[in-house]
Amino acid sequence: MNVLEERILKDGIVKEGNVLKVDSFLNHQMDIQLFDDMGKEWKRRFEGKEINKILTIEASGIGIAVAVARHFNAPVVFAKKSKSINIDGDMYVAEVESFTHKTKNQVIVSKKFLGPDDHVLIIDDFLANGCALQGLISIANDAGATVEGIGIAVEKGFQVGGQVIRNLGFQLESLAIVDGMDAATGTITFRK
Amino acid sequence: MNVLEERILKDGIVKEGNVLKVDSFLNHQMDIQLFDDMGKEWKRRFEGKEINKILTIEASGIGIAVAVARHFNAPVVFAKKSKSINIDGDMYVAEVESFTHKTKNQVIVSKKFLGPDDHVLIIDDFLANGCALQGLISIANDAGATVEGIGIAVEKGFQVGGQVIRNLGFQLESLAIVDGMDAATGTITFRK
């Protein structure tokens, strides 16, 4: 069991509707020492990959990405959520549906900061149905960048997102894959 | 001239309407080494202050706050922007107007993560009219927390925000205070 799985068992809270609250250490209050340990682990798992840019999405991906970036000595670019329909030609755009908020957002990345020379590690806090991640991959593809790997903190293994991404051939490294949760007992089952 | 001021002169772009674009290193693409240097400088300026929590606001404050937090060995809490009018009683709420986007947002922080024992360093990327910062101070006050200091990357010295906050007696440390910009010549004048 890794440091993130241990922390989820200690401080994660299971709510009805397959909701896992990790806001005390991951995506509202953020434990920087934990993030650093997660960065070390991803560095180990992506050993040998030439990564020169970390790509994430606002808001809760940013903190993890910045902590991780130190281990790869690479800058972070975060995709911005945009409501405006008038995006000018200087932006890569992808449509992203939020599982939590049931809303659609456009996410945008300036063309200045992603291009064919970039070898990208995508980082995010959660993977469920995979919409946010598919948007980031789409943006990397539009830019002609190479996605070297994907690092997710918590994957909901009982939803399709992870399977889709692995079927597409990406190296997806989720530090904690939750295969089941029980709100009545508070039990969390991780994939081995 | 400090490392942030030097970087602004090198890569910042002045646009009409007193807009300073720093998105290549500060708030879209993020230079992690620069953020680390900024964290060291704030650590020096807030020497002797007992800081146990970094408070910031999504989205562009988060990256800087996480890099800074390492130097204070403290967790980060970020205020979330919320459109919902049904905020339950578990949240501190403040109203924040955005200078850039001309919109009003509620920002919220869970009561679980801020309280009377907290000695807070507030971090953000920009200070102009100070609305976001006033919202964060209001939330810290509601929580009974002590604001030990405020670290801002870029302060627009020709707007009122900085003066208001200093008049209120806070230790406000802006790493770059821009007193004037000229879009025609690209000139940027920093306060000494």
Side-chain angles (χ1 to χ4, degrees):
Chain A
M1 191 169 295
N2 66 42
V3 64
L4 180 61
E5 291 171 321
E6 285 171 7
R7 187 60 173 273
I8 290 168
L9 289 187
K10 180 169 165 278
D11 293 327
I13 297 168
V14 181
K15 300 258 189 184
E16 289 296 340
N18 279 326
V19 172
L20 176 61
K21 296 269 284 183
V22 289
D23 58 353
S24 66
F25 56 95
L26 200 74
N27 53 16
H28 186 13
Q29 184 165 248
M30 304 188 288
D31 182 331
I32 304 307
Q33 181 58 55
L34 173 69
F35 286 12
D36 191 54
D37 290 342
M38 291 162 60
K40 275 181 207 155
E41 177 62 16
W42 277 314
K43 177 70 184 170
R44 191 183 68 75
R45 296 194 189 190
F46 294 108
E47 196 63 59
K49 293 277 178 99
E50 294 288 336
I51 288 160
N52 71 338
K53 201 156 280 183
I54 312 293
L55 179 64
T56 188
I57 183 168
E58 69 174 31
S60 40
I62 298 174
I64 302 171
V66 164
V68 168
R70 286 184 59 239
H71 295 277
F72 291 89
N73 196 25
V76 174
V77 173
F78 67 89
K80 298 182 178 195
K81 291 173 185 164
S82 169
K83 267 128 232 99
S84 70
I85 46 173
N86 297 312
I87 305 289
D88 66 26
D90 301 334
M91 296 282 177
Y92 302 112
V93 184
E95 187 108 327
V96 169
E97 200 170 352
S98 164
F99 174 77
T100 319
H101 302 102
K102 314 284 183 212
T103 56
K104 276 190 182 179
N105 277 300
Q106 285 186 314
V107 299
I108 57 176
V109 170
S110 169
K111 290 187 177 175
K112 290 184 290 181
F113 307 132
L114 208 58
D117 294 336
D118 283 324
H119 293 254
V120 172
L121 173 61
I122 296 175
I123 293 285
D124 207 2
D125 58 339
F126 264 91
L127 171 58
N129 61 12
C131 281
L133 191 48
Q134 289 152 27
L136 291 177
I137 292 169
S138 161
I139 281 173
N141 286 342
D142 287 351
T146 307
V147 176
E148 295 287 351
I150 299 161
I152 298 291
V154 184
E155 177 182 336
K156 288 182 169 175
F158 50 87
Q159 289 189 243
V160 297
Q163 192 184 358
V164 168
I165 297 296
R166 289 187 182 92
N167 285 347
L168 289 168
F170 291 102
Q171 184 183 349
L172 167 61
E173 299 288 349
S174 302
L175 299 188
I177 303 179
V178 177
D179 273 339
M181 293 185 282
D182 186 331
T185 62
T187 313
I188 300 168
T189 310
F190 294 116
R191 192 172 299 175
K192 300 276 183 216
Chain B
M1 193 169 293
N2 67 43
V3 65
L4 180 61
E5 291 171 321
E6 284 170 6
R7 187 60 172 274
I8 291 169
L9 289 188
K10 180 167 165 281
D11 293 326
I13 296 169
V14 181
K15 300 257 190 186
E16 290 294 341
N18 278 326
V19 172
L20 176 61
K21 296 269 284 185
V22 289
D23 58 353
S24 67
F25 56 95
L26 199 74
N27 54 14
H28 185 12
Q29 183 166 249
M30 303 188 288
D31 181 333
I32 305 307
Q33 181 57 56
L34 173 68
F35 286 13
D36 192 54
D37 291 341
M38 289 161 61
K40 275 180 209 159
E41 177 62 17
W42 277 314
K43 178 71 184 169
R44 191 182 68 77
R45 295 194 189 190
F46 293 109
E47 196 62 59
K49 293 277 177 99
E50 294 289 335
I51 289 160
N52 71 339
K53 199 155 283 185
I54 312 292
L55 179 64
T56 188
I57 183 167
E58 71 174 27
S60 42
I62 298 174
I64 302 171
V66 165
V68 167
R70 289 185 56 238
H71 295 276
F72 292 89
N73 197 26
V76 173
V77 173
F78 68 90
K80 299 183 177 194
K81 291 171 185 167
S82 169
K83 265 129 234 101
S84 70
I85 46 173
N86 297 311
I87 306 288
D88 66 25
D90 300 334
M91 296 284 177
Y92 303 113
V93 184
E95 187 109 329
V96 168
E97 200 169 352
S98 164
F99 174 76
T100 318
H101 302 103
K102 315 283 183 213
T103 55
K104 276 191 185 180
N105 277 298
Q106 284 185 316
V107 299
I108 56 177
V109 169
S110 169
K111 290 186 178 175
K112 287 185 290 182
F113 307 133
L114 208 57
D117 293 336
D118 283 323
H119 293 253
V120 172
L121 173 61
I122 296 176
I123 292 285
D124 206 1
D125 59 338
F126 263 91
L127 170 58
N129 61 11
C131 281
L133 191 48
Q134 289 152 27
L136 291 176
I137 292 169
S138 159
I139 281 173
N141 286 342
D142 287 352
T146 307
V147 177
E148 294 287 352
I150 299 161
I152 298 291
V154 184
E155 177 182 336
K156 289 182 169 173
F158 49 88
Q159 289 189 245
V160 297
Q163 191 185 356
V164 168
I165 297 297
R166 290 188 181 93
N167 284 348
L168 288 167
F170 291 103
Q171 184 184 352
L172 167 61
E173 298 288 348
S174 302
L175 299 188
I177 304 179
V178 177
D179 273 338
M181 292 186 281
D182 186 332
T185 61
T187 314
I188 299 168
T189 309
F190 293 117
R191 192 172 301 175
K192 301 277 183 214

